[in-house]
Amino acid sequence: WINLRVETVRTLADAVAGFELARKGVTVLSRAQALALVERACDTALHRNSYFGAIADRPGLHRAVQRALDDLRLAGALIDRIPDWTFENPRKAEDLARIFTAYGEEMVRGVFVDRVGVLERAVEILKAGGRGPYDEKAIWVVLEDRHRGQTEVDFLRLVAGEPGTASATAYGIEFPADGETGATGADVCVNLRNVEAIFVRASGEENEIRGALRAVLSEGIAFDDVEMLYTDRDGYLARSFELTSELNVPATFAEGIAASFTRTGMAVLGFLSWVGGGFEASAIQKIALAGALKLSQFAPPESRVSPQAIVRILRESAIGWGRDRYIPRLDALLAEQERALGDPELHEARRRGLIRDRNAALATQKLCAKLLQLAAPFDDAGDIEVSSLAAAAAEFIEEVAASRNEIDGMARQALLRMLRELAALPSREIKRAEATDRLRDAVLHLHVAASNPRPGHLHVAPIRLGGWSGRHRIFVLGLDDSRHPGRGAQDPVLLDSERVAMNGVIDPGKLTLTSDRPSRRREEFFSMLTRCGGFGDQRRMTFSYSSLELLHERDGFPSSTMLDIYRETSGDRQATYEALLAAMGERPVGFVPETVPLNESEWWFSETFTRARPSVLGQIEKAYRWLGDGRNAEEARDSEDFTKWDGRIEAPPDRLDPRLSEKVFSASRLERLAGCPYRYFLQYLLRIEPLETLDREPETWLSPRDFGSLLHEVLQEFMEVICAQGEKASLARHRKRIEAVAVEALGRWRITVPPPNESAFEHQREDLFDACEVFLRTEELECGAITPMFFEVPFGESDSTLPDFAITLGVDRRIRLRGRIDRVDSDDNEPLWDVWDYKSGSTWKYERGGRLARGTRIQHAIYARAVEAMLAARGAGESLRRSGYYFPTRKGGGRRNAVSTDADELRHVLNLLCDVAGSGTFVHGLADECTFCDYAQICGGGPLAAARSERKLQQGSENRGLEAWLKLQEID
């Protein structure tokens, strides 16, 4: 072929009208820019009570309106000239007319024109006697023209000089006749006479693709003789890209791939989430872990910083959210690291680790400073201009986002172009979430790296673009009845009933109906078959569908089109679906290959499940020993024996037994041992700690633990002040004073833990003020003849009055203890003392069970013994009257729960706890101890682990630790 030119309506319209538009200074808008003007038009034209007012800010509405307006214009209709009666609701007609008017005004104001506008102007030029770009004797052939709009048809007839137009010639323009694409049974037979058909079902869309790739390998076909066609872009394009990338299969994609699949796309989406979500540090952590940031430019000289290090620093600095928190929190972390590095006794290995941490913190600080600079125009909660946000996002891509391969580079250029186009448009401030949602929507709809078939590459394309490459091996994916031909969902803006009514008044153009989409899909499909079967030589085609939707475990069924093809290729015109399914074999294509495996994982699957080699499991566990350990652990936990996988360890007693180790223990640590020895083992012996994260919960600011710490601070500071002045708490006299102390403490905590919003902060503030009121009322009632004397009294610490406190538990055996007593009161009339520990929760836990509750509630008893030791050291004849818990909150009602225990009871419980730990018997506790456990992921969860433990205990054992544990359960 010579002098063959391929054109599109768009390129032809540009050739006709482009020079005039350029001469007049008209800017041709991209699709994204035109959508942005539709968004502005909706903002201007729609109000709260209008037809579309409730969803006026939704990106989905804007895209639907843009499609509806384009459909009308391509049909040669103007919305303001269509009668209201064609709409089911006249208010809809009013809204669309106002949007169309506002859109036109934006075009005029900015001297803009969209793609349909270029086409309309080209038609006007040709009708006025203008010339097209080619010689009058050119022969014009139009392919696939069954569903063009009237404006496009008029333009093609004019530009080609068809007879009957102003520039008629004898050559004219050839349109395909109706039915020429072929959708009948006879046409199918003609289309498939050169086709060998194979029918396949697979367990999920991914396995359809895997099956196709396995067939390519097993048949020994060159990649550039293979075409994979899909019926549904959402179901197959992304999976095709992921699998070909994972398997290093060279591939081209006719529709490109979603920009959001590239590092650059992920980075800019993360940036938009960061701005839109109130500058949450977790958004930066996600894109850092994805490898989507250029970190080398932020690292100190001669050092390297990993994404994991950046994430760790962001977490440890407890930034949480809020733009103003980044630099102060990182500065505080750096200061803490410098203090640690200044320790002259620091071990060298630890010093090197701290230096690495400091370098990571410095890099994180520079990264965050850059991000904050980009976000300078936006405050934490104010409205945003879309154009300003687009400009910031473009600068973020240029300076911060990573680009590591060719596709990343393509996405980078496409995103920069789109964002700069949007930044060039005028805009006004809108809600932050709305602005970021609009840009996110634009990024998510952007596809890059679209390509024609290339040598050496497998080609992936939709049905409508398939069959042009002349390749001999073709796979057609997604032929289940839900996808092909599918159903014609209604257009949310122009319903089919409205389109039918409009077609009665539009002359000569017609609006396409959404209910016709299934028939159009069938036409596209059989057109593809015509192309594939019309080259004269033999082709091999595989038609497949997904028989199982893996996510929801729903069955899928083959489409009627698949049955039509089977009937024609098998020669059985009466074949049923049962015959089609029988032709596909008994087993669907799955993750376990029956032919050539695609990679090492599939080989292992094949060897294990298909070939059933008995030694393969041992080989796997030898290659990946952690898998073997995991299998052994599960088998051991399911057995009736108490094993190391259940918490039984072998170690010298002086390393485990608190009576022999001379380590200092707190009451809370011993209570943790009593509640669940296995959790104690994980936390204190293996030193496994859950990640500390700041989770943003809209209705909650401080966790119960943090609120308790805040309340402790307030009560301590307030009581120290008034007691130093010789006063006793009074609601009337001290309410303002304690609230002032609370306000100062709230300010300190607000710096450390940012509230998610003012509502959550105010709610917690009111809770604190309520607790202060309850506390003052209780003090007035309880402290008439009692004077609070000491607060936050330490013991067992070097700077305390009782630096070495221990309880003797036998000959040459003792347990060293430490703690901090919230409050010690003195009786005004007798030499008696009371010990109280503040609790900010409810009294429920402390009202159930007995005095020591299986060893899970021994704090009051230990504190009582510590105060008795302090009083004995004073030698003043004083004694302890009571010890217990004080609940100064509205939930606790100001209640005081005094619990009496003698020294022998406490020693008995402590000895049992030491027997459990000293014997290395860290059995799992009862299920009710697992409600708020951070280690459930390790043990498998409370109900399962507790049931396993109970089964082992029922078998009986001579293990001293298990015997001690069982005795402990009997303690009241």
Side-chain angles (χ1 to χ4, degrees), residues 354-375:
L354 283 172
I355 291 174
R356 286 194 298 270
D357 289 346
R358 183 187 60 185
N359 289 339
L362 290 170
T364 306
Q365 188 180 54
K366 289 183 66 177
L367 168 65
C368 292
K370 183 61 185 178
L371 293 174
L372 294 171
Q373 177 191 339
L374 295 174

Short mmCIF file of all heavy atoms in Angstrom, two decimals, residues 354-375:
data_model
loop_
_atom_site.label_atom_id
_atom_site.label_comp_id
_atom_site.label_asym_id
_atom_site.label_seq_id
_atom_site.Cartn_x
_atom_site.Cartn_y
_atom_site.Cartn_z
N LEU A 354 22.33 4.71 66.76
CA LEU A 354 21.78 6.04 67.01
C LEU A 354 22.16 7.02 65.90
O LEU A 354 21.37 7.90 65.54
CB LEU A 354 22.25 6.56 68.37
CG LEU A 354 21.55 5.98 69.59
CD1 LEU A 354 22.25 6.43 70.87
CD2 LEU A 354 20.08 6.40 69.62
N ILE A 355 23.36 6.88 65.37
CA ILE A 355 23.78 7.75 64.27
C ILE A 355 22.91 7.50 63.04
O ILE A 355 22.50 8.43 62.34
CB ILE A 355 25.27 7.55 63.97
CG1 ILE A 355 26.12 8.10 65.13
CG2 ILE A 355 25.65 8.23 62.65
CD1 ILE A 355 27.60 7.81 64.99
N ARG A 356 22.64 6.22 62.78
CA ARG A 356 21.74 5.91 61.65
C ARG A 356 20.35 6.51 61.88
O ARG A 356 19.73 7.07 60.96
CB ARG A 356 21.65 4.40 61.45
CG ARG A 356 22.89 3.77 60.83
CD ARG A 356 22.59 2.36 60.35
NE ARG A 356 22.21 1.48 61.45
CZ ARG A 356 23.07 0.77 62.17
NH1 ARG A 356 24.37 0.81 61.89
NH2 ARG A 356 22.64 -0.02 63.15
N ASP A 357 19.88 6.40 63.12
CA ASP A 357 18.57 6.98 63.43
C ASP A 357 18.59 8.50 63.28
O ASP A 357 17.61 9.10 62.79
CB ASP A 357 18.15 6.61 64.85
CG ASP A 357 17.80 5.13 64.99
OD1 ASP A 357 17.62 4.47 63.95
OD2 ASP A 357 17.73 4.64 66.13
N ARG A 358 19.67 9.13 63.69
CA ARG A 358 19.75 10.59 63.56
C ARG A 358 19.77 10.99 62.09
O ARG A 358 19.11 11.97 61.70
CB ARG A 358 21.01 11.11 64.26
CG ARG A 358 21.13 12.64 64.23
CD ARG A 358 22.46 13.10 64.77
NE ARG A 358 23.56 12.55 64.01
CZ ARG A 358 24.84 12.70 64.32
NH1 ARG A 358 25.18 13.36 65.43
NH2 ARG A 358 25.80 12.17 63.58
N ASN A 359 20.50 10.25 61.26
CA ASN A 359 20.51 10.57 59.82
C ASN A 359 19.12 10.41 59.22
O ASN A 359 18.70 11.22 58.39
CB ASN A 359 21.50 9.66 59.10
CG ASN A 359 22.94 9.99 59.42
OD1 ASN A 359 23.26 11.11 59.86
ND2 ASN A 359 23.83 9.05 59.22
N ALA A 360 18.42 9.37 59.66
CA ALA A 360 17.05 9.18 59.16
C ALA A 360 16.15 10.31 59.63
O ALA A 360 15.29 10.79 58.87
CB ALA A 360 16.51 7.83 59.64
N ALA A 361 16.34 10.77 60.87
CA ALA A 361 15.52 11.87 61.38
C ALA A 361 15.83 13.17 60.64
O ALA A 361 14.92 13.96 60.34
CB ALA A 361 15.75 12.04 62.88
N LEU A 362 17.10 13.41 60.33
CA LEU A 362 17.46 14.61 59.58
C LEU A 362 16.86 14.57 58.17
O LEU A 362 16.36 15.59 57.67
CB LEU A 362 18.98 14.74 59.50
CG LEU A 362 19.69 15.10 60.81
CD1 LEU A 362 21.21 14.96 60.66
CD2 LEU A 362 19.33 16.52 61.24
N ALA A 363 16.91 13.39 57.54
CA ALA A 363 16.31 13.27 56.20
C ALA A 363 14.80 13.47 56.27
O ALA A 363 14.21 14.13 55.40
CB ALA A 363 16.65 11.90 55.62
N THR A 364 14.17 12.90 57.30
CA THR A 364 12.73 13.07 57.45
C THR A 364 12.38 14.52 57.68
O THR A 364 11.38 15.03 57.15
CB THR A 364 12.23 12.21 58.63
OG1 THR A 364 12.64 10.85 58.45
CG2 THR A 364 10.72 12.27 58.73
N GLN A 365 13.20 15.21 58.44
CA GLN A 365 12.95 16.63 58.70
C GLN A 365 13.03 17.45 57.41
O GLN A 365 12.19 18.31 57.15
CB GLN A 365 13.97 17.15 59.72
CG GLN A 365 13.69 18.56 60.22
CD GLN A 365 14.73 19.01 61.21
OE1 GLN A 365 15.93 18.97 60.91
NE2 GLN A 365 14.30 19.42 62.40
N LYS A 366 14.02 17.16 56.57
CA LYS A 366 14.14 17.88 55.30
C LYS A 366 12.99 17.54 54.36
O LYS A 366 12.46 18.42 53.67
CB LYS A 366 15.48 17.54 54.63
CG LYS A 366 16.70 18.13 55.33
CD LYS A 366 17.98 17.80 54.57
CE LYS A 366 18.01 18.47 53.22
NZ LYS A 366 19.29 18.22 52.52
N LEU A 367 12.61 16.26 54.33
CA LEU A 367 11.48 15.85 53.50
C LEU A 367 10.21 16.57 53.93
O LEU A 367 9.47 17.12 53.09
CB LEU A 367 11.29 14.34 53.60
CG LEU A 367 9.98 13.77 53.02
CD1 LEU A 367 9.92 13.99 51.52
CD2 LEU A 367 9.85 12.28 53.36
N CYS A 368 9.96 16.58 55.23
CA CYS A 368 8.73 17.21 55.72
C CYS A 368 8.76 18.72 55.51
O CYS A 368 7.71 19.33 55.22
CB CYS A 368 8.54 16.88 57.20
SG CYS A 368 8.16 15.13 57.50
N ALA A 369 9.94 19.31 55.64
CA ALA A 369 10.04 20.76 55.38
C ALA A 369 9.68 21.07 53.94
O ALA A 369 9.01 22.07 53.65
CB ALA A 369 11.45 21.24 55.70
N LYS A 370 10.11 20.20 53.02
CA LYS A 370 9.77 20.41 51.61
C LYS A 370 8.27 20.25 51.39
O LYS A 370 7.65 21.05 50.67
CB LYS A 370 10.55 19.42 50.75
CG LYS A 370 10.33 19.61 49.25
CD LYS A 370 10.78 21.00 48.82
CE LYS A 370 10.48 21.29 47.39
NZ LYS A 370 10.89 22.66 46.98
N LEU A 371 7.68 19.23 51.98
CA LEU A 371 6.25 19.01 51.82
C LEU A 371 5.46 20.17 52.41
O LEU A 371 4.46 20.62 51.83
CB LEU A 371 5.84 17.70 52.49
CG LEU A 371 6.39 16.42 51.86
CD1 LEU A 371 6.01 15.21 52.71
CD2 LEU A 371 5.87 16.25 50.45
N LEU A 372 5.90 20.68 53.55
CA LEU A 372 5.21 21.82 54.16
C LEU A 372 5.34 23.08 53.31
O LEU A 372 4.42 23.90 53.25
CB LEU A 372 5.76 22.07 55.56
CG LEU A 372 5.48 20.96 56.58
CD1 LEU A 372 6.25 21.20 57.86
CD2 LEU A 372 3.99 20.86 56.87
N GLN A 373 6.48 23.21 52.64
CA GLN A 373 6.65 24.34 51.73
C GLN A 373 5.65 24.25 50.56
O GLN A 373 5.04 25.25 50.17
CB GLN A 373 8.07 24.37 51.19
CG GLN A 373 8.34 25.47 50.17
CD GLN A 373 9.68 25.31 49.48
OE1 GLN A 373 10.57 24.64 49.99
NE2 GLN A 373 9.82 25.91 48.33
N LEU A 374 5.49 23.05 50.03
CA LEU A 374 4.53 22.87 48.93
C LEU A 374 3.10 23.14 49.40
O LEU A 374 2.26 23.61 48.62
CB LEU A 374 4.63 21.44 48.38
CG LEU A 374 5.96 21.06 47.72
CD1 LEU A 374 5.96 19.59 47.35
CD2 LEU A 374 6.20 21.91 46.49
N ALA A 375 2.82 22.82 50.66
CA ALA A 375 1.47 22.99 51.20
C ALA A 375 1.27 24.34 51.85
O ALA A 375 0.25 24.56 52.51
CB ALA A 375 1.18 21.88 52.21
#
